[in-house]
């Protein structure tokens, strides 16, 4: 998978907006990889562009995948497609479902 590395912008305050993408799916590349094989989280946009998520967003992605599965198992529609905002605020990277 030749994904583009996501580069979230720095924002000055919570009132500013980071990078907003229309996301079709959040997933894990090679989730059961053997030793030495790369495993990483990614987002696939509605235009089929795929971005590899930086390490600080790996846990967020795993949680988002789990939440979406629980949501769908309860009979609700998928959370995706949907918009997600990515950014860096006060030195910490964030992703927020809008």
């Amino acid at each position: 998978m030749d994904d583009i590395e996501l580069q979230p912008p720095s924002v000055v305050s919570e009132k500013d907006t980071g990078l907003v993408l229309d996301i079709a799916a959040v997933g894990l590349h090679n989730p059961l990889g053997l030793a030495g094989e790369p495993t990483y989280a990614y987002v696939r946009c509605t235009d089929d562009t795929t971005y590899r998520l930086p390490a600080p967003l790996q846990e967020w992605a795993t949680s988002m995948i789990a939440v979406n599965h629980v949501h769908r198992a309860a009979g609700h529609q998928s959370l995706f497609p949907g918009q997600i905002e990515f950014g860096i605020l006060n030195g910490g990277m964030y992703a927020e479902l809008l």
Side-chain angles (χ1 to χ4, degrees), residues 26-28 41-43 53 57-66:
V26 176
L28 295 175
Y42 66 88
V43 291
L53 295 178
L57 295 178
Q58 300 293 310
E59 187 174 324
W60 169 85
T62 303
S63 296
M64 185 57 62
I65 292 166

Side-chain angles (χ1 to χ4, degrees), residues 68-87:
N68 193 44
H69 281 293
V70 169
H71 194 72
R72 293 188 66 204
H76 303 290
Q77 288 186 332
S78 175
L79 299 174
F80 305 104
Q83 290 189 319
I84 298 178
E85 177 185 350
F86 298 93

